[in-house]
Amino acid sequence: MAIRLFQVDAFAHAPFAGNPAAVCLLPEAREDGWMQHVALEMNLSETAFLLEQDDGYSLRWFTPKVEVDLCGHATLASAHVLWQEDLLGSGEPARFHTRSGLLTAERREGGLIEIDFPALSVDEGEASEEMLAALGVTPKQVGMFGSKHLIEVESEEAVRGLRPDFASLRAMSGRGLAVTSVSASPEHDFVSRYFAPWVGIDEDPVTGSAHCALGPYWGKRLEKDRLTAFQASERGGLLHIHLRGERVSIGGRAVTISTGELLV
């Protein structure tokens, strides 16, 4: 049975920007190993697998190497596909059952999609001298959100100028690294880049899940509950963040790049 497959640029204002994700609409449950093989074949930072349920959709995310617990851009891409294909009414929210609990998405004016995610606290942390050398940064502050590092640096110029040594990073233990600073532009509150060579993604173009921590971190520092963030990867992506206590709303746009079918 052919399985419908979409490639979507998420957190993108136009094609070939933001973060590409594959979205696979499953007619029935498939084995974990099969989904991992598909994600490797797609060779994108995330492939999302959707399976309809009585009260929404089961949603799982795979990098080319592993299944992950939370992914923002592939969730936004999945919601975009459900509305695009009329699998949800235009005013109907998307409901996703995931390893991180129930996540929802809603359409806003101007094509904006807003996803509702858990807020993640940033605790004090440390980064080894070897990790900092591989990144090429001098940190102002180091924190941890779960097993991932958040490193604040002096300036947006420092964030944009990063040229990490990924071979050295892969030789260390780790899960993910968000490097961030306050923005030099009045259009954005803060900027960031995100690296995860340990799960097969040297640099992620736009990382919604990292903003579950970056949003509260900068919200506290800047004393704001609504922020505009820019992820300064080569493709780049704009995120609109609304802090709501234990939840974070992350808004962005999406563009479908291609559609097709899986035949295996």
Side-chain angles (χ1 to χ4, degrees):
M1 180 185 297
I3 298 171
R4 300 174 72 193
L5 185 71
F6 304 79
Q7 184 168 325
V8 176
D9 287 345
F11 297 112
H13 62 282
F16 315 120
N19 200 351
V23 178
C24 185
L25 296 179
L26 296 175
E28 59 186 13
R30 296 298 297 261
E31 300 82 5
D32 291 4
W34 178 88
M35 289 188 281
Q36 188 63 74
H37 280 302
V38 171
L40 178 59
E41 187 80 6
M42 294 300 101
N43 199 31
L44 299 171
S45 60
E46 303 289 346
T47 298
F49 296 89
L50 288 169
L51 181 63
E52 188 173 9
Q53 299 183 184
D54 290 340
D55 59 345
Y57 285 82
S58 166
L59 173 58
R60 296 174 70 177
W61 311 279
F62 287 78
T63 79
K65 284 191 173 182
V66 298
E67 183 174 8
V68 298
D69 293 334
L70 189 65
C71 177
H73 83 280
T75 303
L76 189 147
S78 296
H80 169 78
V81 166
L82 292 178
W83 285 309
Q84 172 187 281
E85 298 303 303
D86 294 324
L87 296 171
L88 289 175
S90 60
E92 185 179 0
R95 293 170 53 86
F96 300 117
H97 300 276
T98 78
R99 293 172 84 170
S100 293
L102 176 65
L103 307 176
T104 60
E106 296 189 46
R107 297 176 87 175
R108 304 300 187 194
E109 292 183 6
L112 193 75
I113 297 173
E114 197 169 71
I115 54 178
D116 176 62
F117 270 33
L120 301 178
S121 62
V122 178
D123 302 315
E124 289 187 15
E126 295 182 352
S128 68
E129 291 184 7
E130 293 79 10
M131 178 176 286
L132 296 175
L135 281 171
V137 301
T138 301
K140 286 185 65 176
Q141 192 160 327
V142 178
M144 300 291 297
F145 56 108
S147 59
K148 302 172 183 178
H149 285 79
L150 186 154
I151 299 175
E152 182 187 348
V153 295
E154 186 67 32
S155 67
E156 180 172 334
E157 182 181 8
V159 172
R160 290 181 178 271
L162 289 173
R163 300 293 184 268
D165 180 344
F166 292 113
S168 294
L169 287 173
R170 276 190 288 271
M172 308 171 196
S173 61
R175 184 72 177 183
L177 282 163
V179 182
T180 186
S181 77
V182 69
S183 176
S185 166
E187 296 179 4
H188 313 123
D189 293 295
F190 66 91
V191 298
S192 68
R193 290 172 67 188
Y194 186 81
F195 310 104
W198 305 278
V199 297
I201 308 164
D202 281 353
E203 180 168 5
D204 196 33
V206 191
T207 316
S209 60
H211 286 78
C212 294
L214 287 164
Y217 178 83
W218 283 110
K220 183 177 181 180
R221 295 286 300 277
L222 301 175
E223 298 183 339
K224 301 176 73 172
D225 62 6
R226 291 185 181 271
L227 304 104
T228 302
F230 185 75
Q231 191 152 331
S233 64
E234 183 176 351
R235 292 172 65 100
L238 184 65
L239 306 95
H240 302 273
I241 298 169
H242 182 197
L243 305 177
R244 299 182 292 104
E246 296 183 354
R247 307 295 294 180
V248 179
S249 294
I250 304 172
R253 292 172 173 79
V255 182
T256 299
I257 297 300
S258 64
T259 64
E261 295 181 334
L262 282 173
L263 304 177
V264 294

